[in-house]
Amino acid sequence: MSQFGMQMPGGRGSQRPTPDVYSALLFFALVAIGAACFLMWQAASAVAPRDGKPWDLQDANKITLNEGT
């Protein structure tokens, strides 16, 4: 029927969703957040109190910094 310009209701197949500008921005934001987390992890490891483990907390009354390698 489409050859005569007529269409049946519900005759069109479902379209696959396509990525748009917002999907690209979301992907870029996730990459940027991942890179920022990696850089902050490296910076925290550089000044960590023991063995370069940034999750070890220091005593609040005695703060020391590593001199770096």
Side-chain angles (χ1 to χ4, degrees):
M1 292 234 186
S2 63
Q3 63 214 22
F4 300 114
M6 301 168 63
Q7 296 180 350
M8 298 293 290
R12 185 169 64 145
S14 63
Q15 289 183 339
R16 293 180 44 202
T18 58
D20 55 0
V21 174
Y22 298 112
S23 300
L25 286 174
L26 178 64
F27 178 74
F28 178 72
L30 287 174
V31 169
I33 288 174
C37 288
F38 176 73
L39 291 175
M40 288 296 104
W41 181 268
Q42 284 186 333
S45 295
V47 296
R50 294 184 281 288
D51 299 328
K53 297 178 188 171
W55 57 84
D56 287 341
L57 298 177
Q58 295 185 15
D59 183 18
N61 296 324
K62 183 183 173 192
I63 299 202
T64 60
L65 296 176
N66 287 343
E67 294 193 19
T69 57

